[in-house]
Amino acid sequence: MLYSDGNEIAPELIRRAANGDASAHETIFRAYQRPVYSLIRRLVARPAVADDLFQEVFVEILRSIGDYTGQGAFGGWVRSIAVSKCLMYLRSPWHRSLHWLDADEDGEAAQQPDGAATPERQVMLHADLERAMEALPALTRSVVWLHDVEGYTHGEIARLMGRTTSFSKSQLARAHARLRELLDSTRESVPCMPVSTNC
Amino acid sequence: MHARIDQLLSLRDGEPVDAATSSHVEGCTRCREALAGLERRTHALRELPQLDAPDGSWQRIRDAMERPAARIDYRRTFAVAASVIAVLSISIAFIAGRENAAIVATPDELPLVIEVPQLVARSQQLEGLLEVLPARPRVERVSTAATIDTIEERIQWLDFQLSSAPDVVLNEEQRRQLWSERVMLMDSLVKVRYAEAGRMSF
């Protein structure tokens, strides 16, 4: 969970930000920039688009902070804005027209087998998983992230996407089948290195 | 018969699964491994490191904040926007209706008070219709493009309101009104897009 790690902002700071206090704005930015940017990058794989959305999300957060009622965690409110903006983008005609550029069905598979979690290995595993996630279609990837990481229910995802609960469930199942395929295939694709001899 | 991935996901998430599947998984090495793999992957996803925002982000955000906002106070503009949209939707329905009246039901054909689940279902049905329409042409009439953009923006705003619901705590009537407006706009959008697609085919 990206927003429940003690990152909560004091109500007084939120009030100051709502009144236009620039230093309060910056404090909020510093506190949430990493979780928000990470969330956006996981939903929208294309970095240039993610960067634009990141800016839009923060402008929206800081401009509409006065609308935050104090009900529910501030982090959850921030997250809902980021998720909403990303899904707007994914549903937009602009994104759909670029969709053919995505390596949705033929994304490169990860390149490293499972194994002991040395720091180097851990980094490789993360990179493999990131690549496998990026190989998923955008909406499928969003369902996985929102359900498995952000903790949204299938009902909430269906409502956000204007789809059915069974759509969300089937996307999650397809995604995991695909992730397994991508990650397992890399084990098989690890090239056999010839054993060196003394010759 | 081994457990399907959706059944394994239900087991992972503690959702009800039929007893036969559950007992099969308990006794089947392959299914247990598949379930453990799912759990490992989910754990790994949650452990992915956070990413740093690009350099200079804060400066760009500050600069953007200094520019006048297009829509600062949604609540203040809500009434005006709703009126404009209503007029626009009626005009669009009239124009699109002339070109093809039979494509989708108008809100008038729906019962007077519609509950949220029905509105959600209707909205999903209209989303489905939109998806099967051809992509927007690269060159389109300015008036059509502006109309579509206006409707889409409004739908996005409604989605934002609805998706913030867990935090904002909308009451049932507010949700019903938002969903109702979403259905109306989706209906108009389908009509305009359908009319546009019809023109493209000539």
Side-chain angles (χ1 to χ4, degrees):
Chain A
M1 292 286 185
L2 295 170
Y3 299 88
S4 55
D5 52 4
N7 244 353
E8 277 304 318
I9 293 286
E12 174 53 28
L13 189 74
I14 295 170
R15 269 193 295 277
R16 280 172 43 210
N19 290 329
D21 181 331
S23 71
H25 285 173
E26 184 165 359
T27 306
I28 288 170
F29 172 81
R30 302 280 168 219
Y32 285 99
Q33 56 103 3
R34 292 188 84 219
V36 168
Y37 186 68
S38 303
L39 170 62
I40 294 172
R41 279 296 302 276
R42 261 94 206 206
L43 299 190
V44 178
R46 205 171 281 120
V49 176
D51 294 357
D52 286 348
L53 279 170
F54 175 69
Q55 182 176 316
E56 267 184 48
V57 165
F58 258 104
V59 169
E60 174 102 30
I61 289 167
L62 297 176
R63 278 187 173 154
S64 61
I65 199 164
D67 293 345
Y68 171 63
T69 58
Q71 289 176 306
F74 180 70
W77 181 79
V78 167
R79 179 180 67 170
S80 72
I81 292 175
V83 169
S84 177
K85 283 266 182 206
C86 290
L87 294 183
M88 279 180 203
Y89 168 73
L90 294 177
R91 287 157 43 115
S92 69
W94 171 241
H95 169 254
R96 287 202 290 266
S97 69
L98 290 175
H99 199 246
W100 62 275
L101 288 171
D102 279 339
D104 282 343
E105 299 304 328
D106 301 303
E108 285 182 21
Q111 295 294 320
Q112 194 69 25
D114 242 334
T118 61
E120 295 79 11
R121 177 62 58 97
Q122 197 68 42
V123 169
M124 297 292 274
L125 288 172
H126 285 157
D128 291 345
L129 193 54
E130 297 260 24
R131 267 201 297 275
M133 282 290 280
E134 283 175 19
L136 297 176
L139 274 182
T140 311
R141 182 173 57 243
S142 301
V143 170
V144 177
W145 194 263
L146 293 178
H147 185 272
D148 286 0
V149 182
E150 298 291 333
Y152 281 70
T153 65
H154 286 299
E156 286 167 339
I157 293 170
R159 198 186 63 212
L160 279 167
M161 295 186 170
R163 304 293 184 98
T164 58
T165 303
S166 55
F167 166 84
S168 176
K169 285 184 174 176
S170 68
Q171 289 297 307
L172 188 68
R174 278 183 55 188
H176 275 288
R178 183 76 177 129
L179 285 175
R180 183 173 61 189
E181 210 175 281
L182 289 169
L183 294 169
D184 286 355
S185 70
T186 60
R187 290 183 190 156
E188 289 154 20
S189 69
V190 173
C192 294
M193 299 300 287
V195 178
S196 62
T197 66
N198 292 331
C199 303
Chain B
M1 187 81 167
H2 293 293
R4 296 189 313 267
I5 196 150
D6 56 305
Q7 293 170 322
L8 293 172
L9 282 166
S10 294
L11 282 169
R12 180 200 67 174
D13 297 338
E15 290 168 2
V17 176
D18 63 274
T21 306
S22 188
S23 63
H24 168 82
V25 172
E26 270 177 37
C28 172
T29 314
R30 184 171 148 183
C31 287
R32 275 208 317 275
E33 275 175 12
L35 180 58
L38 270 180
E39 285 164 351
R40 271 199 307 274
R41 261 198 308 283
T42 309
H43 179 73
L45 279 173
R46 290 177 182 157
E47 293 296 308
L48 282 176
Q50 291 194 341
L51 306 169
D52 280 317
D55 290 342
S57 293
W58 175 236
Q59 187 56 50
R60 281 194 294 278
I61 289 163
R62 275 179 54 187
D63 293 346
M65 291 280 293
E66 281 164 16
R67 290 194 289 272
R71 289 172 300 166
I72 296 172
D73 187 347
Y74 289 126
R75 287 190 174 87
R76 197 182 302 163
T77 56
F78 181 86
V80 177
S83 313
V84 171
I85 292 294
V87 171
L88 190 63
S89 303
I90 290 164
S91 314
I92 291 161
F94 177 72
I95 294 163
R98 278 194 317 192
E99 300 203 25
N100 194 315
I103 179 65
V104 280
T106 63
D108 297 342
E109 293 167 30
L110 300 169
L112 279 177
V113 178
I114 312 167
E115 297 307 318
V116 171
Q118 292 166 278
L119 290 166
V120 173
R122 180 72 181 145
S123 185
Q124 288 162 349
Q125 191 187 359
L126 290 165
E127 291 269 358
L129 276 175
L130 260 189
E131 280 185 7
V132 298
L133 286 173
R136 284 172 73 177
R138 290 188 185 283
V139 180
E140 61 187 350
R141 288 180 187 174
V142 174
S143 57
T144 307
T147 303
I148 291 175
D149 290 347
T150 306
I151 298 173
E152 284 182 342
E153 269 184 27
R154 182 67 188 164
I155 291 172
Q156 287 171 358
W157 183 85
L158 287 169
D159 286 347
F160 171 70
Q161 294 297 307
L162 287 163
S163 65
S164 300
D167 296 309
V168 174
V169 189
L170 295 170
N171 66 34
E172 194 58 18
E173 180 53 23
Q174 287 169 324
R175 286 192 67 223
R176 201 187 66 74
Q177 281 178 5
L178 290 174
W179 275 108
S180 181
E181 192 182 349
R182 192 179 197 283
V183 167
M184 186 183 74
L185 289 168
M186 283 297 300
D187 191 63
S188 300
L189 185 58
V190 168
K191 282 175 173 162
V192 177
R193 292 282 317 281
Y194 183 82
E196 184 182 56
R199 277 197 296 270
M200 278 165 64
S201 63
F202 289 107

